[in-house]
Every structure is written in C-alpha cells, then in structure tokens.
Amino acid sequence: MAQEQDRLAGRLAEIRPHLDERQWRLLLGAEARAIGRGGVKLVAKAAGASADTVSRGARELEALPGSQESAAYSRVG
C-alpha cells in the first residue's frame, strides 16, 4: 500500500503544475474512484490535499455530462 501511494504521489506531483484547481480536483476524484474503497483517503494523502477536496472532485466528476452515472440516469429518465 505504501508503494502504491508513493507511485501515485509521484504521478500527481508531475502533473499538478499543469492543471488548474478544477482540473486538479477532477483528477484526484477520478483516481479515488478508480481505487475504490479507501481511495479518497489514499489519494488525499498522496496529493497532500484534503479528503474533502478529493471527495468534491469525485462528486463533480459524477455530475459531468457524459459520465457513467449521468448516462445511466438519462437512459432511465
């Protein structure tokens, strides 16, 4: 787990200077969702961000048009 966190921290540090705040939140949210359970905490620690920021990014990502959740909702509705 520590090794995974170190690799993630390296990837995030490399891309961070090229992203604005919203893009950064969305990336953190996407990483957390990809990890699954415990992802918010792991990503927050690796990125040096708050868990609230990571969670907000995940929620914003879910709400974007074209996301899997949005697509499923529009098919049902």
Side-chain angles (χ1 to χ4, degrees):
M1 185 73 117
Q3 213 173 15
E4 179 181 347
Q5 185 175 330
D6 289 343
R7 283 194 303 267
L8 178 59
R11 286 193 313 270
L12 293 173
E14 186 173 1
I15 192 71
R16 176 64 182 114
H18 307 286
L19 304 177
D20 64 27
E21 290 300 316
R22 180 173 179 267
Q23 293 166 336
W24 178 239
R25 274 194 317 274
L26 293 175
L27 174 62
L28 297 180
E31 289 288 348
R33 288 174 44 143
I35 292 168
R37 186 180 173 112
V40 168
K41 185 176 179 179
L42 188 138
V43 170
K45 190 169 183 181
S50 75
D52 288 343
T53 297
V54 178
S55 295
R56 181 177 171 195
R59 286 192 308 272
E60 289 177 4
L61 193 60
E62 290 172 6
L64 288 175
S67 72
Q68 290 178 347
E69 289 80 6
S70 292
Y73 180 76
S74 65
R75 282 194 302 267
V76 172

Short mmCIF file of all heavy atoms in Angstrom, two decimals:
data_model
loop_
_atom_site.label_atom_id
_atom_site.label_comp_id
_atom_site.label_asym_id
_atom_site.label_seq_id
_atom_site.Cartn_x
_atom_site.Cartn_y
_atom_site.Cartn_z
N MET A 1 0.83 -1.20 0.00
CA MET A 1 0.00 0.00 0.00
C MET A 1 0.87 1.26 0.00
O MET A 1 0.58 2.20 -0.72
CB MET A 1 -0.94 -0.02 1.20
CG MET A 1 -1.92 1.12 1.21
SD MET A 1 -3.22 0.93 0.00
CE MET A 1 -4.63 0.84 1.03
N ALA A 2 1.93 1.27 0.77
CA ALA A 2 2.82 2.44 0.82
C ALA A 2 3.50 2.65 -0.53
O ALA A 2 3.69 3.79 -0.96
CB ALA A 2 3.85 2.27 1.93
N GLN A 3 3.85 1.55 -1.19
CA GLN A 3 4.49 1.65 -2.50
C GLN A 3 3.52 2.24 -3.53
O GLN A 3 3.91 3.09 -4.34
CB GLN A 3 4.96 0.26 -2.95
CG GLN A 3 6.20 0.28 -3.77
CD GLN A 3 6.69 -1.13 -4.02
OE1 GLN A 3 5.98 -2.12 -3.81
NE2 GLN A 3 7.92 -1.25 -4.47
N GLU A 4 2.28 1.80 -3.48
CA GLU A 4 1.25 2.33 -4.38
C GLU A 4 1.06 3.82 -4.13
O GLU A 4 0.96 4.62 -5.07
CB GLU A 4 -0.07 1.59 -4.18
CG GLU A 4 -1.18 2.10 -5.07
CD GLU A 4 -2.51 1.38 -4.84
OE1 GLU A 4 -2.53 0.34 -4.17
OE2 GLU A 4 -3.51 1.89 -5.34
N GLN A 5 1.03 4.22 -2.87
CA GLN A 5 0.86 5.62 -2.52
C GLN A 5 2.04 6.45 -3.02
O GLN A 5 1.86 7.56 -3.53
CB GLN A 5 0.72 5.77 -1.01
CG GLN A 5 0.41 7.19 -0.58
CD GLN A 5 0.17 7.30 0.90
OE1 GLN A 5 -0.30 6.37 1.53
NE2 GLN A 5 0.49 8.43 1.46
N ASP A 6 3.25 5.93 -2.91
CA ASP A 6 4.44 6.64 -3.39
C ASP A 6 4.39 6.83 -4.91
O ASP A 6 4.73 7.90 -5.42
CB ASP A 6 5.72 5.90 -3.00
CG ASP A 6 6.01 5.98 -1.51
OD1 ASP A 6 5.42 6.84 -0.82
OD2 ASP A 6 6.82 5.15 -1.03
N ARG A 7 4.00 5.78 -5.63
CA ARG A 7 3.90 5.89 -7.09
C ARG A 7 2.84 6.91 -7.49
O ARG A 7 3.03 7.73 -8.39
CB ARG A 7 3.58 4.53 -7.71
CG ARG A 7 4.76 3.59 -7.78
CD ARG A 7 4.49 2.40 -8.68
NE ARG A 7 3.32 1.63 -8.29
CZ ARG A 7 3.34 0.56 -7.49
NH1 ARG A 7 4.48 0.13 -7.00
NH2 ARG A 7 2.24 -0.07 -7.20
N LEU A 8 1.70 6.87 -6.80
CA LEU A 8 0.62 7.82 -7.06
C LEU A 8 1.09 9.24 -6.76
O LEU A 8 0.85 10.15 -7.55
CB LEU A 8 -0.61 7.47 -6.22
CG LEU A 8 -1.80 8.41 -6.34
CD1 LEU A 8 -2.30 8.48 -7.77
CD2 LEU A 8 -2.91 7.97 -5.40
N ALA A 9 1.77 9.44 -5.65
CA ALA A 9 2.28 10.76 -5.29
C ALA A 9 3.22 11.30 -6.37
O ALA A 9 3.16 12.48 -6.73
CB ALA A 9 2.99 10.71 -3.93
N GLY A 10 4.05 10.45 -6.91
CA GLY A 10 4.96 10.86 -7.98
C GLY A 10 4.22 11.28 -9.24
O GLY A 10 4.55 12.31 -9.85
N ARG A 11 3.21 10.49 -9.63
CA ARG A 11 2.43 10.84 -10.82
C ARG A 11 1.69 12.16 -10.63
O ARG A 11 1.66 13.02 -11.51
CB ARG A 11 1.41 9.74 -11.14
CG ARG A 11 2.02 8.49 -11.73
CD ARG A 11 0.97 7.57 -12.32
NE ARG A 11 -0.20 7.31 -11.49
CZ ARG A 11 -0.30 6.31 -10.61
NH1 ARG A 11 0.71 5.46 -10.44
NH2 ARG A 11 -1.41 6.12 -9.93
N LEU A 12 1.10 12.32 -9.45
CA LEU A 12 0.34 13.54 -9.18
C LEU A 12 1.25 14.76 -9.13
O LEU A 12 0.89 15.83 -9.65
CB LEU A 12 -0.45 13.40 -7.87
CG LEU A 12 -1.58 12.36 -7.90
CD1 LEU A 12 -2.18 12.19 -6.51
CD2 LEU A 12 -2.64 12.72 -8.92
N ALA A 13 2.41 14.63 -8.53
CA ALA A 13 3.35 15.75 -8.45
C ALA A 13 3.82 16.17 -9.83
O ALA A 13 4.03 17.36 -10.10
CB ALA A 13 4.55 15.36 -7.58
N GLU A 14 3.94 15.21 -10.73
CA GLU A 14 4.39 15.51 -12.09
C GLU A 14 3.36 16.31 -12.88
O GLU A 14 3.70 17.22 -13.64
CB GLU A 14 4.72 14.21 -12.82
CG GLU A 14 5.35 14.41 -14.17
CD GLU A 14 5.81 13.10 -14.80
OE1 GLU A 14 5.63 12.03 -14.20
OE2 GLU A 14 6.35 13.18 -15.91
N ILE A 15 2.09 16.00 -12.70
CA ILE A 15 1.04 16.64 -13.50
C ILE A 15 0.49 17.90 -12.84
O ILE A 15 -0.02 18.79 -13.52
CB ILE A 15 -0.11 15.64 -13.81
CG1 ILE A 15 -1.06 16.17 -14.88
CG2 ILE A 15 -0.90 15.29 -12.56
CD1 ILE A 15 -0.48 16.22 -16.24
N ARG A 16 0.61 18.02 -11.53
CA ARG A 16 0.00 19.13 -10.78
C ARG A 16 0.29 20.51 -11.36
O ARG A 16 -0.63 21.34 -11.49
CB ARG A 16 0.40 19.06 -9.31
CG ARG A 16 -0.11 20.23 -8.46
CD ARG A 16 -1.63 20.22 -8.43
NE ARG A 16 -2.18 21.32 -7.68
CZ ARG A 16 -2.91 22.30 -8.22
NH1 ARG A 16 -3.17 22.32 -9.51
NH2 ARG A 16 -3.41 23.26 -7.48
N PRO A 17 1.53 20.85 -11.71
CA PRO A 17 1.81 22.21 -12.19
C PRO A 17 1.08 22.58 -13.49
O PRO A 17 0.99 23.75 -13.84
CB PRO A 17 3.32 22.22 -12.43
CG PRO A 17 3.86 21.06 -11.68
CD PRO A 17 2.75 20.05 -11.61
N HIS A 18 0.53 21.60 -14.17
CA HIS A 18 -0.10 21.85 -15.47
C HIS A 18 -1.63 21.93 -15.39
O HIS A 18 -2.28 22.08 -16.42
CB HIS A 18 0.29 20.73 -16.45
CG HIS A 18 1.78 20.56 -16.53
ND1 HIS A 18 2.60 21.45 -17.18
CD2 HIS A 18 2.58 19.62 -15.98
CE1 HIS A 18 3.86 21.04 -17.06
NE2 HIS A 18 3.87 19.94 -16.33
N LEU A 19 -2.17 21.82 -14.19
CA LEU A 19 -3.62 21.79 -14.02
C LEU A 19 -4.11 22.97 -13.20
O LEU A 19 -3.45 23.39 -12.25
CB LEU A 19 -4.05 20.49 -13.31
CG LEU A 19 -3.61 19.19 -13.95
CD1 LEU A 19 -4.04 18.02 -13.09
CD2 LEU A 19 -4.17 19.05 -15.35
N ASP A 20 -5.30 23.46 -13.53
CA ASP A 20 -5.91 24.48 -12.67
C ASP A 20 -6.61 23.75 -11.51
O ASP A 20 -6.60 22.51 -11.45
CB ASP A 20 -6.86 25.39 -13.46
CG ASP A 20 -8.07 24.68 -14.05
OD1 ASP A 20 -8.52 23.65 -13.50
OD2 ASP A 20 -8.59 25.17 -15.08
N GLU A 21 -7.21 24.51 -10.62
CA GLU A 21 -7.80 23.91 -9.41
C GLU A 21 -8.91 22.90 -9.73
O GLU A 21 -8.99 21.84 -9.13
CB GLU A 21 -8.34 25.00 -8.47
CG GLU A 21 -7.25 25.82 -7.81
CD GLU A 21 -6.32 24.98 -6.96
OE1 GLU A 21 -6.79 24.11 -6.21
OE2 GLU A 21 -5.10 25.19 -7.06
N ARG A 22 -9.77 23.24 -10.66
CA ARG A 22 -10.87 22.33 -11.01
C ARG A 22 -10.35 21.05 -11.63
O ARG A 22 -10.79 19.94 -11.29
CB ARG A 22 -11.85 23.02 -11.96
CG ARG A 22 -13.01 22.12 -12.35
CD ARG A 22 -14.04 22.91 -13.16
NE ARG A 22 -15.13 22.05 -13.54
CZ ARG A 22 -15.18 21.38 -14.70
NH1 ARG A 22 -14.20 21.47 -15.57
NH2 ARG A 22 -16.22 20.62 -14.98
N GLN A 23 -9.42 21.18 -12.57
CA GLN A 23 -8.84 20.00 -13.20
C GLN A 23 -8.16 19.12 -12.17
O GLN A 23 -8.25 17.89 -12.23
CB GLN A 23 -7.84 20.43 -14.28
CG GLN A 23 -8.48 21.11 -15.46
CD GLN A 23 -7.46 21.82 -16.35
OE1 GLN A 23 -6.38 22.19 -15.89
NE2 GLN A 23 -7.82 22.00 -17.61
N TRP A 24 -7.48 19.75 -11.22
CA TRP A 24 -6.80 19.02 -10.15
C TRP A 24 -7.81 18.22 -9.33
O TRP A 24 -7.62 17.03 -9.06
CB TRP A 24 -6.03 20.01 -9.29
CG TRP A 24 -5.30 19.45 -8.11
CD1 TRP A 24 -5.50 19.78 -6.80
CD2 TRP A 24 -4.24 18.49 -8.11
NE1 TRP A 24 -4.63 19.09 -6.01
CE2 TRP A 24 -3.84 18.30 -6.77
CE3 TRP A 24 -3.59 17.78 -9.11
CZ2 TRP A 24 -2.83 17.42 -6.42
CZ3 TRP A 24 -2.58 16.90 -8.75
CH2 TRP A 24 -2.21 16.73 -7.42
N ARG A 25 -8.92 18.86 -8.93
CA ARG A 25 -9.95 18.17 -8.15
C ARG A 25 -10.52 16.98 -8.92
O ARG A 25 -10.73 15.91 -8.36
CB ARG A 25 -11.11 19.12 -7.81
CG ARG A 25 -10.96 19.93 -6.60
CD ARG A 25 -12.26 20.58 -6.15
NE ARG A 25 -13.06 21.16 -7.21
CZ ARG A 25 -12.89 22.39 -7.69
NH1 ARG A 25 -11.96 23.18 -7.21
NH2 ARG A 25 -13.70 22.84 -8.64
N LEU A 26 -10.79 17.21 -10.22
CA LEU A 26 -11.36 16.13 -11.04
C LEU A 26 -10.39 14.96 -11.15
O LEU A 26 -10.80 13.79 -11.08
CB LEU A 26 -11.75 16.64 -12.42
CG LEU A 26 -12.90 17.65 -12.47
CD1 LEU A 26 -13.09 18.16 -13.89
CD2 LEU A 26 -14.18 17.04 -11.93
N LEU A 27 -9.11 15.26 -11.33
CA LEU A 27 -8.11 14.19 -11.40
C LEU A 27 -8.06 13.41 -10.09
O LEU A 27 -8.07 12.18 -10.09
CB LEU A 27 -6.73 14.76 -11.73
CG LEU A 27 -5.58 13.75 -11.69
CD1 LEU A 27 -5.78 12.65 -12.73
CD2 LEU A 27 -4.25 14.45 -11.90
N LEU A 28 -8.03 14.13 -8.98
CA LEU A 28 -7.99 13.46 -7.68
C LEU A 28 -9.24 12.60 -7.48
O LEU A 28 -9.15 11.46 -6.99
CB LEU A 28 -7.86 14.48 -6.55
CG LEU A 28 -6.59 15.33 -6.54
CD1 LEU A 28 -6.61 16.30 -5.35
CD2 LEU A 28 -5.35 14.46 -6.52
N GLY A 29 -10.39 13.14 -7.86
CA GLY A 29 -11.64 12.37 -7.75
C GLY A 29 -11.62 11.12 -8.61
O GLY A 29 -12.07 10.05 -8.19
N ALA A 30 -11.10 11.25 -9.83
CA ALA A 30 -11.03 10.09 -10.74
C ALA A 30 -10.10 9.03 -10.18
O ALA A 30 -10.40 7.83 -10.24
CB ALA A 30 -10.56 10.54 -12.12
N GLU A 31 -8.97 9.45 -9.63
CA GLU A 31 -8.03 8.48 -9.03
C GLU A 31 -8.68 7.77 -7.85
O GLU A 31 -8.57 6.55 -7.72
CB GLU A 31 -6.75 9.19 -8.57
CG GLU A 31 -5.87 9.67 -9.70
CD GLU A 31 -5.15 8.54 -10.42
OE1 GLU A 31 -5.12 7.39 -9.94
OE2 GLU A 31 -4.59 8.82 -11.50
N ALA A 32 -9.37 8.52 -7.02
CA ALA A 32 -10.03 7.92 -5.85
C ALA A 32 -11.10 6.92 -6.28
O ALA A 32 -11.21 5.83 -5.70
CB ALA A 32 -10.65 9.01 -4.98
N ARG A 33 -11.87 7.28 -7.29
CA ARG A 33 -12.91 6.36 -7.78
C ARG A 33 -12.30 5.10 -8.37
O ARG A 33 -12.83 4.01 -8.20
CB ARG A 33 -13.78 7.06 -8.82
CG ARG A 33 -14.70 8.10 -8.20
CD ARG A 33 -15.43 8.88 -9.24
NE ARG A 33 -15.94 7.99 -10.28
CZ ARG A 33 -17.10 8.14 -10.89
NH1 ARG A 33 -17.86 9.13 -10.59
NH2 ARG A 33 -17.48 7.30 -11.83
N ALA A 34 -11.19 5.25 -9.07
CA ALA A 34 -10.53 4.08 -9.67
C ALA A 34 -10.02 3.13 -8.61
O ALA A 34 -10.04 1.91 -8.80
CB ALA A 34 -9.38 4.54 -10.57
N ILE A 35 -9.57 3.67 -7.49
CA ILE A 35 -9.05 2.84 -6.40
C ILE A 35 -10.19 2.13 -5.68
O ILE A 35 -10.07 0.97 -5.30
CB ILE A 35 -8.22 3.69 -5.43
CG1 ILE A 35 -6.94 4.15 -6.14
CG2 ILE A 35 -7.89 2.92 -4.15
CD1 ILE A 35 -6.17 5.22 -5.39
N GLY A 36 -11.31 2.82 -5.51
CA GLY A 36 -12.43 2.23 -4.79
C GLY A 36 -12.35 2.52 -3.31
O GLY A 36 -11.88 3.58 -2.90
N ARG A 37 -12.77 1.57 -2.52
CA ARG A 37 -12.82 1.76 -1.07
C ARG A 37 -11.46 2.21 -0.54
O ARG A 37 -10.44 1.60 -0.82
CB ARG A 37 -13.25 0.46 -0.40
CG ARG A 37 -13.46 0.61 1.08
CD ARG A 37 -13.88 -0.71 1.69
NE ARG A 37 -13.92 -0.58 3.12
CZ ARG A 37 -15.02 -0.61 3.84
NH1 ARG A 37 -16.17 -0.80 3.25
NH2 ARG A 37 -14.97 -0.47 5.14
N GLY A 38 -11.47 3.29 0.23
CA GLY A 38 -10.24 3.84 0.79
C GLY A 38 -9.51 4.76 -0.15
O GLY A 38 -8.48 5.33 0.21
N GLY A 39 -10.03 4.93 -1.35
CA GLY A 39 -9.37 5.74 -2.36
C GLY A 39 -9.27 7.21 -2.01
O GLY A 39 -8.24 7.84 -2.26
N VAL A 40 -10.31 7.76 -1.40
CA VAL A 40 -10.29 9.18 -1.05
C VAL A 40 -9.15 9.45 -0.08
O VAL A 40 -8.36 10.38 -0.27
CB VAL A 40 -11.65 9.63 -0.46
CG1 VAL A 40 -11.55 11.00 0.16
CG2 VAL A 40 -12.72 9.60 -1.53
N LYS A 41 -9.05 8.64 0.93
CA LYS A 41 -8.00 8.84 1.94
C LYS A 41 -6.61 8.66 1.34
O LYS A 41 -5.70 9.46 1.59
CB LYS A 41 -8.22 7.85 3.09
CG LYS A 41 -7.28 8.05 4.25
CD LYS A 41 -7.62 7.09 5.38
CE LYS A 41 -6.67 7.25 6.54
NZ LYS A 41 -7.01 6.35 7.64
N LEU A 42 -6.44 7.63 0.54
CA LEU A 42 -5.14 7.36 -0.06
C LEU A 42 -4.73 8.47 -1.01
O LEU A 42 -3.59 8.95 -0.97
CB LEU A 42 -5.17 6.02 -0.80
CG LEU A 42 -3.82 5.53 -1.31
CD1 LEU A 42 -3.67 4.04 -1.07
CD2 LEU A 42 -3.66 5.82 -2.79
N VAL A 43 -5.64 8.92 -1.86
CA VAL A 43 -5.33 9.97 -2.82
C VAL A 43 -5.06 11.29 -2.09
O VAL A 43 -4.12 12.01 -2.44
CB VAL A 43 -6.47 10.13 -3.85
CG1 VAL A 43 -6.29 11.37 -4.71
CG2 VAL A 43 -6.56 8.89 -4.73
N ALA A 44 -5.85 11.59 -1.08
CA ALA A 44 -5.63 12.83 -0.33
C ALA A 44 -4.24 12.86 0.28
O ALA A 44 -3.52 13.85 0.18
CB ALA A 44 -6.70 12.98 0.76
N LYS A 45 -3.85 11.76 0.87
CA LYS A 45 -2.52 11.69 1.49
C LYS A 45 -1.41 11.79 0.44
O LYS A 45 -0.44 12.52 0.61
CB LYS A 45 -2.38 10.39 2.29
CG LYS A 45 -1.15 10.36 3.14
CD LYS A 45 -1.18 9.20 4.11
CE LYS A 45 0.06 9.24 5.01
NZ LYS A 45 0.08 8.13 5.93
N ALA A 46 -1.57 11.09 -0.67
CA ALA A 46 -0.55 11.10 -1.73
C ALA A 46 -0.42 12.48 -2.36
O ALA A 46 0.67 12.90 -2.74
CB ALA A 46 -0.90 10.07 -2.80
N ALA A 47 -1.54 13.21 -2.47
CA ALA A 47 -1.55 14.51 -3.15
C ALA A 47 -1.26 15.66 -2.20
O ALA A 47 -1.03 16.78 -2.65
CB ALA A 47 -2.90 14.73 -3.82
N GLY A 48 -1.32 15.39 -0.90
CA GLY A 48 -1.18 16.49 0.05
C GLY A 48 -2.40 17.39 0.02
O GLY A 48 -2.32 18.59 0.24
N ALA A 49 -3.55 16.79 -0.27
CA ALA A 49 -4.81 17.53 -0.36
C ALA A 49 -5.74 17.05 0.75
O ALA A 49 -5.50 16.00 1.36
CB ALA A 49 -5.46 17.28 -1.72
N SER A 50 -6.80 17.78 0.96
CA SER A 50 -7.77 17.34 1.96
C SER A 50 -8.69 16.28 1.35
O SER A 50 -8.93 16.25 0.14
CB SER A 50 -8.61 18.52 2.46
OG SER A 50 -9.56 18.91 1.49
N ALA A 51 -9.22 15.43 2.21
CA ALA A 51 -10.17 14.41 1.77
C ALA A 51 -11.42 15.08 1.20
O ALA A 51 -12.03 14.55 0.26
CB ALA A 51 -10.53 13.49 2.93
N ASP A 52 -11.78 16.25 1.72
CA ASP A 52 -12.94 16.98 1.20
C ASP A 52 -12.73 17.39 -0.26
O ASP A 52 -13.64 17.32 -1.07
CB ASP A 52 -13.22 18.23 2.03
CG ASP A 52 -13.80 17.91 3.40
OD1 ASP A 52 -14.29 16.77 3.59
OD2 ASP A 52 -13.77 18.79 4.27
N THR A 53 -11.51 17.80 -0.59
CA THR A 53 -11.19 18.19 -1.96
C THR A 53 -11.31 17.00 -2.90
O THR A 53 -11.89 17.10 -3.98
CB THR A 53 -9.76 18.77 -2.03
OG1 THR A 53 -9.72 19.95 -1.23
CG2 THR A 53 -9.36 19.10 -3.47
N VAL A 54 -10.80 15.86 -2.47
CA VAL A 54 -10.86 14.64 -3.29
C VAL A 54 -12.32 14.21 -3.47
O VAL A 54 -12.76 13.90 -4.59
CB VAL A 54 -10.02 13.51 -2.68
CG1 VAL A 54 -10.13 12.24 -3.50
CG2 VAL A 54 -8.56 13.95 -2.53
N SER A 55 -13.09 14.21 -2.39
CA SER A 55 -14.50 13.83 -2.46
C SER A 55 -15.28 14.77 -3.36
O SER A 55 -16.13 14.34 -4.14
CB SER A 55 -15.13 13.84 -1.07
OG SER A 55 -14.55 12.85 -0.27
N ARG A 56 -14.98 16.05 -3.25
CA ARG A 56 -15.67 17.04 -4.11
C ARG A 56 -15.36 16.77 -5.58
O ARG A 56 -16.25 16.84 -6.43
CB ARG A 56 -15.25 18.45 -3.71
CG ARG A 56 -15.94 19.51 -4.52
CD ARG A 56 -15.54 20.89 -4.05
NE ARG A 56 -16.05 21.88 -4.98
CZ ARG A 56 -15.65 23.12 -5.02
NH1 ARG A 56 -14.72 23.55 -4.18
NH2 ARG A 56 -16.16 23.95 -5.89
N GLY A 57 -14.11 16.46 -5.87
CA GLY A 57 -13.74 16.15 -7.24
C GLY A 57 -14.48 14.94 -7.77
O GLY A 57 -14.94 14.93 -8.92
N ALA A 58 -14.63 13.92 -6.93
CA ALA A 58 -15.37 12.72 -7.34
C ALA A 58 -16.83 13.05 -7.61
O ALA A 58 -17.41 12.59 -8.61
CB ALA A 58 -15.24 11.64 -6.28
N ARG A 59 -17.42 13.87 -6.76
CA ARG A 59 -18.83 14.26 -6.95
C ARG A 59 -19.00 15.09 -8.22
O ARG A 59 -19.95 14.88 -8.98
CB ARG A 59 -19.35 15.04 -5.75
CG ARG A 59 -19.63 14.21 -4.53
CD ARG A 59 -20.41 14.97 -3.47
NE ARG A 59 -19.80 16.25 -3.13
CZ ARG A 59 -18.87 16.45 -2.20
NH1 ARG A 59 -18.40 15.42 -1.53
NH2 ARG A 59 -18.40 17.66 -1.95
N GLU A 60 -18.07 16.03 -8.45
CA GLU A 60 -18.15 16.85 -9.66
C GLU A 60 -17.99 15.99 -10.91
O GLU A 60 -18.68 16.21 -11.90
CB GLU A 60 -17.06 17.93 -9.64
CG GLU A 60 -17.31 19.02 -8.63
CD GLU A 60 -16.18 20.04 -8.56
OE1 GLU A 60 -15.22 19.94 -9.35
OE2 GLU A 60 -16.26 20.93 -7.71
N LEU A 61 -17.12 15.02 -10.84
CA LEU A 61 -16.90 14.13 -11.97
C LEU A 61 -18.16 13.34 -12.29
O LEU A 61 -18.53 13.19 -13.45
CB LEU A 61 -15.74 13.19 -11.64
CG LEU A 61 -15.13 12.39 -12.76
CD1 LEU A 61 -14.57 13.32 -13.83
CD2 LEU A 61 -14.04 11.50 -12.23
N GLU A 62 -18.84 12.86 -11.26
CA GLU A 62 -20.07 12.10 -11.46
C GLU A 62 -21.16 12.95 -12.10
O GLU A 62 -21.99 12.43 -12.84
CB GLU A 62 -20.58 11.56 -10.12
CG GLU A 62 -19.72 10.47 -9.54
CD GLU A 62 -20.12 10.08 -8.13
OE1 GLU A 62 -21.16 10.59 -7.64
OE2 GLU A 62 -19.41 9.29 -7.53
N ALA A 63 -21.14 14.24 -11.81
CA ALA A 63 -22.20 15.13 -12.30
C ALA A 63 -21.96 15.63 -13.72
O ALA A 63 -22.86 16.21 -14.33
CB ALA A 63 -22.34 16.33 -11.36
N LEU A 64 -20.76 15.44 -14.24
CA LEU A 64 -20.45 15.93 -15.59
C LEU A 64 -21.26 15.19 -16.65
O LEU A 64 -21.45 13.98 -16.55
CB LEU A 64 -18.96 15.74 -15.90
CG LEU A 64 -18.01 16.67 -15.18
CD1 LEU A 64 -16.57 16.27 -15.49
CD2 LEU A 64 -18.26 18.11 -15.57
N PRO A 65 -21.72 15.89 -17.67
CA PRO A 65 -22.39 15.22 -18.79
C PRO A 65 -21.45 14.19 -19.41
O PRO A 65 -20.26 14.45 -19.56
CB PRO A 65 -22.67 16.35 -19.77
CG PRO A 65 -22.59 17.60 -18.97
CD PRO A 65 -21.62 17.33 -17.86
N GLY A 66 -21.99 13.05 -19.71
CA GLY A 66 -21.18 12.00 -20.32
C GLY A 66 -20.57 11.03 -19.32
O GLY A 66 -19.99 10.03 -19.71
N SER A 67 -20.69 11.34 -18.01
CA SER A 67 -20.17 10.39 -17.03
C SER A 67 -21.08 9.16 -17.00
O SER A 67 -22.21 9.21 -17.45
CB SER A 67 -20.10 11.02 -15.63
OG SER A 67 -21.39 11.18 -15.08
N GLN A 68 -20.59 8.07 -16.50
CA GLN A 68 -21.38 6.84 -16.47
C GLN A 68 -22.66 7.04 -15.68
O GLN A 68 -23.72 6.58 -16.07
CB GLN A 68 -20.57 5.70 -15.88
CG GLN A 68 -19.45 5.25 -16.78
CD GLN A 68 -18.61 4.15 -16.16
OE1 GLN A 68 -18.70 3.87 -14.97
NE2 GLN A 68 -17.79 3.54 -16.98
N GLU A 69 -22.58 7.74 -14.54
CA GLU A 69 -23.78 7.96 -13.73
C GLU A 69 -24.79 8.83 -14.47
O GLU A 69 -25.97 8.55 -14.47
CB GLU A 69 -23.41 8.61 -12.39
CG GLU A 69 -22.70 7.68 -11.44
CD GLU A 69 -21.22 7.52 -11.75
OE1 GLU A 69 -20.70 8.22 -12.65
OE2 GLU A 69 -20.58 6.69 -11.11
N SER A 70 -24.29 9.91 -15.12
CA SER A 70 -25.20 10.78 -15.87
C SER A 70 -25.84 10.02 -17.03
O SER A 70 -27.02 10.18 -17.30
CB SER A 70 -24.43 11.99 -16.43
OG SER A 70 -24.01 12.83 -15.39
N ALA A 71 -25.07 9.21 -17.73
CA ALA A 71 -25.59 8.46 -18.86
C ALA A 71 -26.65 7.47 -18.41
O ALA A 71 -27.70 7.34 -19.05
CB ALA A 71 -24.45 7.73 -19.57
N ALA A 72 -26.43 6.80 -17.30
CA ALA A 72 -27.41 5.84 -16.79
C ALA A 72 -28.70 6.55 -16.39
O ALA A 72 -29.79 6.09 -16.67
CB ALA A 72 -26.84 5.08 -15.58
N TYR A 73 -28.59 7.71 -15.76
CA TYR A 73 -29.75 8.46 -15.36
C TYR A 73 -30.56 8.93 -16.55
O TYR A 73 -31.77 8.81 -16.58
CB TYR A 73 -29.34 9.69 -14.50
CG TYR A 73 -30.50 10.51 -14.05
CD1 TYR A 73 -31.32 10.08 -13.00
CD2 TYR A 73 -30.82 11.71 -14.68
CE1 TYR A 73 -32.40 10.83 -12.60
CE2 TYR A 73 -31.91 12.47 -14.27
CZ TYR A 73 -32.69 12.02 -13.23
OH TYR A 73 -33.77 12.76 -12.82
N SER A 74 -29.89 9.42 -17.58
CA SER A 74 -30.64 9.92 -18.75
C SER A 74 -31.31 8.78 -19.51
O SER A 74 -32.36 8.98 -20.11
CB SER A 74 -29.71 10.71 -19.67
OG SER A 74 -28.72 9.88 -20.21
N ARG A 75 -30.77 7.58 -19.47
CA ARG A 75 -31.41 6.45 -20.14
C ARG A 75 -32.67 6.02 -19.39
O ARG A 75 -33.65 5.63 -19.98
CB ARG A 75 -30.44 5.27 -20.25
CG ARG A 75 -29.43 5.43 -21.36
CD ARG A 75 -28.74 4.12 -21.63
NE ARG A 75 -28.07 3.59 -20.45
CZ ARG A 75 -26.79 3.82 -20.14
NH1 ARG A 75 -26.03 4.58 -20.90
NH2 ARG A 75 -26.26 3.28 -19.06
N VAL A 76 -32.61 6.09 -18.05
CA VAL A 76 -33.74 5.67 -17.24
C VAL A 76 -34.85 6.71 -17.31
O VAL A 76 -36.01 6.38 -17.40
CB VAL A 76 -33.31 5.44 -15.76
CG1 VAL A 76 -34.50 5.19 -14.88
CG2 VAL A 76 -32.33 4.29 -15.68
N GLY A 77 -34.47 8.00 -17.22
CA GLY A 77 -35.43 9.11 -17.18
C GLY A 77 -36.02 9.30 -18.50
O GLY A 77 -36.97 9.36 -19.03
#
